[in-house]
mmCIF file of all heavy atoms in Angstrom:
data_model
loop_
_atom_site.group_PDB
_atom_site.id
_atom_site.type_symbol
_atom_site.label_atom_id
_atom_site.label_comp_id
_atom_site.label_asym_id
_atom_site.label_seq_id
_atom_site.Cartn_x
_atom_site.Cartn_y
_atom_site.Cartn_z
ATOM 1 N N PHE Q 181 146.349 129.924 -75.534
ATOM 2 C CA PHE Q 181 147.393 129.982 -76.595
ATOM 3 C C PHE Q 181 147.806 128.607 -77.067
ATOM 4 O O PHE Q 181 147.836 127.675 -76.286
ATOM 5 C CB PHE Q 181 148.675 130.695 -76.062
ATOM 6 C CG PHE Q 181 148.452 132.148 -75.690
ATOM 7 C CD1 PHE Q 181 148.342 132.521 -74.323
ATOM 8 C CD2 PHE Q 181 148.335 133.110 -76.611
ATOM 9 C CE1 PHE Q 181 148.190 133.768 -73.960
ATOM 10 C CE2 PHE Q 181 148.176 134.468 -76.247
ATOM 11 C CZ PHE Q 181 148.073 134.758 -74.881
ATOM 12 N N TYR Q 186 154.666 129.296 -75.891
ATOM 13 C CA TYR Q 186 155.249 129.791 -77.130
ATOM 14 C C TYR Q 186 156.444 130.696 -76.932
ATOM 15 O O TYR Q 186 157.422 130.685 -77.760
ATOM 16 C CB TYR Q 186 154.267 130.459 -77.988
ATOM 17 C CG TYR Q 186 153.760 131.817 -77.462
ATOM 18 C CD1 TYR Q 186 154.338 132.972 -77.762
ATOM 19 C CD2 TYR Q 186 152.650 131.836 -76.670
ATOM 20 C CE1 TYR Q 186 153.874 134.191 -77.282
ATOM 21 C CE2 TYR Q 186 152.141 133.030 -76.121
ATOM 22 C CZ TYR Q 186 152.788 134.186 -76.483
ATOM 23 O OH TYR Q 186 152.356 135.409 -75.964
ATOM 24 N N ASN Q 187 156.538 131.449 -75.805
ATOM 25 C CA ASN Q 187 157.624 132.388 -75.600
ATOM 26 C C ASN Q 187 158.780 131.768 -74.818
ATOM 27 O O ASN Q 187 159.697 132.499 -74.393
ATOM 28 C CB ASN Q 187 157.100 133.610 -74.931
ATOM 29 C CG ASN Q 187 156.341 133.281 -73.631
ATOM 30 O OD1 ASN Q 187 156.141 132.139 -73.276
ATOM 31 N ND2 ASN Q 187 155.996 134.338 -72.846
ATOM 32 N N GLU Q 202 145.712 132.236 -80.775
ATOM 33 C CA GLU Q 202 145.176 132.660 -79.516
ATOM 34 C C GLU Q 202 143.657 132.753 -79.492
ATOM 35 O O GLU Q 202 143.070 133.088 -80.531
ATOM 36 C CB GLU Q 202 145.648 134.051 -79.196
ATOM 37 C CG GLU Q 202 145.081 134.683 -77.870
ATOM 38 C CD GLU Q 202 145.518 136.137 -77.648
ATOM 39 O OE1 GLU Q 202 146.339 136.593 -78.422
ATOM 40 O OE2 GLU Q 202 145.047 136.751 -76.685
ATOM 41 N N PHE Q 213 149.044 135.223 -84.515
ATOM 42 C CA PHE Q 213 150.025 136.321 -84.557
ATOM 43 C C PHE Q 213 151.383 135.832 -84.602
ATOM 44 O O PHE Q 213 151.696 134.664 -84.300
ATOM 45 C CB PHE Q 213 149.802 137.214 -83.316
ATOM 46 C CG PHE Q 213 150.060 136.572 -82.025
ATOM 47 C CD1 PHE Q 213 151.323 136.557 -81.390
ATOM 48 C CD2 PHE Q 213 148.980 135.998 -81.332
ATOM 49 C CE1 PHE Q 213 151.585 135.947 -80.166
ATOM 50 C CE2 PHE Q 213 149.221 135.351 -80.044
ATOM 51 C CZ PHE Q 213 150.457 135.404 -79.500
ATOM 52 N N GLU Q 214 152.370 136.695 -84.977
ATOM 53 C CA GLU Q 214 153.757 136.323 -85.075
ATOM 54 C C GLU Q 214 154.355 136.154 -83.678
ATOM 55 O O GLU Q 214 154.002 136.914 -82.787
ATOM 56 C CB GLU Q 214 154.581 137.394 -85.837
ATOM 57 C CG GLU Q 214 154.243 137.363 -87.359
ATOM 58 C CD GLU Q 214 155.187 138.272 -88.142
ATOM 59 O OE1 GLU Q 214 156.120 138.816 -87.453
ATOM 60 O OE2 GLU Q 214 154.977 138.483 -89.304
ATOM 61 N N ASN Q 215 155.238 135.180 -83.475
ATOM 62 C CA ASN Q 215 155.798 134.884 -82.223
ATOM 63 C C ASN Q 215 156.943 135.895 -81.887
ATOM 64 O O ASN Q 215 158.108 135.626 -82.026
ATOM 65 C CB ASN Q 215 156.313 133.412 -82.177
ATOM 66 C CG ASN Q 215 156.770 132.997 -80.771
ATOM 67 O OD1 ASN Q 215 156.667 133.757 -79.837
ATOM 68 N ND2 ASN Q 215 157.188 131.718 -80.673
ATOM 69 N N GLU Q 216 156.478 137.080 -81.445
ATOM 70 C CA GLU Q 216 157.413 138.068 -81.023
ATOM 71 C C GLU Q 216 156.953 138.622 -79.650
ATOM 72 O O GLU Q 216 155.783 138.614 -79.390
ATOM 73 C CB GLU Q 216 157.498 139.238 -81.980
ATOM 74 C CG GLU Q 216 158.026 138.872 -83.384
ATOM 75 C CD GLU Q 216 158.112 140.014 -84.329
ATOM 76 O OE1 GLU Q 216 157.563 141.090 -83.956
ATOM 77 O OE2 GLU Q 216 158.661 139.860 -85.421
ATOM 78 N N LYS Q 217 157.887 139.139 -78.836
ATOM 79 C CA LYS Q 217 157.539 139.633 -77.568
ATOM 80 C C LYS Q 217 156.791 140.997 -77.764
ATOM 81 O O LYS Q 217 157.387 141.921 -78.300
ATOM 82 C CB LYS Q 217 158.724 139.877 -76.713
ATOM 83 C CG LYS Q 217 159.349 138.527 -76.251
ATOM 84 C CD LYS Q 217 160.531 138.772 -75.287
ATOM 85 C CE LYS Q 217 161.052 137.384 -74.793
ATOM 86 N NZ LYS Q 217 162.198 137.567 -73.880
ATOM 87 N N ALA Q 218 155.543 141.071 -77.325
ATOM 88 C CA ALA Q 218 154.760 142.288 -77.497
ATOM 89 C C ALA Q 218 155.105 143.296 -76.282
ATOM 90 O O ALA Q 218 155.192 142.806 -75.133
ATOM 91 C CB ALA Q 218 153.292 142.012 -77.487
ATOM 92 N N THR Q 219 155.255 144.476 -76.554
ATOM 93 C CA THR Q 219 155.526 145.511 -75.514
ATOM 94 C C THR Q 219 154.519 146.658 -75.734
ATOM 95 O O THR Q 219 153.636 146.609 -76.689
ATOM 96 C CB THR Q 219 156.932 146.079 -75.570
ATOM 97 O OG1 THR Q 219 157.041 146.794 -76.878
ATOM 98 C CG2 THR Q 219 157.963 144.951 -75.519
ATOM 99 N N ALA Q 220 154.561 147.616 -74.886
ATOM 100 C CA ALA Q 220 153.708 148.750 -74.990
ATOM 101 C C ALA Q 220 153.883 149.467 -76.330
ATOM 102 O O ALA Q 220 152.880 150.007 -76.918
ATOM 103 C CB ALA Q 220 153.937 149.767 -73.846
ATOM 104 N N LEU Q 221 155.064 149.388 -76.873
ATOM 105 C CA LEU Q 221 155.357 150.125 -78.143
ATOM 106 C C LEU Q 221 155.243 149.102 -79.324
ATOM 107 O O LEU Q 221 155.211 149.552 -80.486
ATOM 108 C CB LEU Q 221 156.756 150.766 -78.022
ATOM 109 C CG LEU Q 221 156.951 151.819 -77.021
ATOM 110 C CD1 LEU Q 221 158.359 152.327 -77.026
ATOM 111 C CD2 LEU Q 221 155.937 152.953 -77.241
ATOM 112 N N LYS Q 222 155.349 147.834 -79.013
ATOM 113 C CA LYS Q 222 155.322 146.847 -80.110
ATOM 114 C C LYS Q 222 154.263 145.828 -79.865
ATOM 115 O O LYS Q 222 154.407 144.947 -79.081
ATOM 116 C CB LYS Q 222 156.725 146.130 -80.095
ATOM 117 C CG LYS Q 222 156.940 145.261 -81.274
ATOM 118 C CD LYS Q 222 158.331 144.664 -81.296
ATOM 119 C CE LYS Q 222 158.579 143.834 -82.495
ATOM 120 N NZ LYS Q 222 159.957 143.244 -82.501
ATOM 121 N N GLN Q 223 153.156 146.042 -80.467
ATOM 122 C CA GLN Q 223 151.949 145.115 -80.268
ATOM 123 C C GLN Q 223 152.081 143.884 -81.139
ATOM 124 O O GLN Q 223 152.977 143.774 -81.987
ATOM 125 C CB GLN Q 223 150.686 145.921 -80.599
ATOM 126 C CG GLN Q 223 150.495 147.189 -79.741
ATOM 127 C CD GLN Q 223 150.418 146.861 -78.284
ATOM 128 O OE1 GLN Q 223 149.818 145.850 -77.918
ATOM 129 N NE2 GLN Q 223 150.985 147.719 -77.449
ATOM 130 N N LYS Q 224 151.227 142.948 -80.856
ATOM 131 C CA LYS Q 224 151.167 141.744 -81.633
ATOM 132 C C LYS Q 224 150.936 141.927 -83.115
ATOM 133 O O LYS Q 224 150.165 142.775 -83.492
ATOM 134 C CB LYS Q 224 150.125 140.792 -81.096
ATOM 135 C CG LYS Q 224 150.249 140.321 -79.670
ATOM 136 C CD LYS Q 224 149.101 139.436 -79.225
ATOM 137 C CE LYS Q 224 149.240 139.102 -77.729
ATOM 138 N NZ LYS Q 224 148.006 138.377 -77.296
ATOM 139 N N LYS Q 225 151.718 141.286 -83.921
ATOM 140 C CA LYS Q 225 151.464 141.336 -85.382
ATOM 141 C C LYS Q 225 150.506 140.308 -85.774
ATOM 142 O O LYS Q 225 150.820 139.132 -85.986
ATOM 143 C CB LYS Q 225 152.847 141.149 -86.113
ATOM 144 C CG LYS Q 225 153.751 142.279 -86.005
ATOM 145 C CD LYS Q 225 155.057 142.027 -86.887
ATOM 146 C CE LYS Q 225 155.984 143.205 -86.746
ATOM 147 N NZ LYS Q 225 157.215 142.980 -87.579
ATOM 148 N N VAL Q 226 149.224 140.699 -85.792
ATOM 149 C CA VAL Q 226 148.180 139.727 -86.057
ATOM 150 C C VAL Q 226 148.171 139.415 -87.617
ATOM 151 O O VAL Q 226 148.117 140.344 -88.491
ATOM 152 C CB VAL Q 226 146.757 140.276 -85.707
ATOM 153 C CG1 VAL Q 226 145.711 139.350 -86.131
ATOM 154 C CG2 VAL Q 226 146.782 140.539 -84.178
#
Side-chain angles (χ1 to χ4, degrees):
F181 298 102
Y186 67 89
N187 55 353
E202 177 184 356
F213 63 89
E214 289 187 5
N215 190 357
E216 295 181 352
K217 291 184 178 180
T219 64
L221 299 177
K222 188 177 182 180
Q223 300 300 320
K224 295 175 183 175
K225 290 185 179 179
V226 177

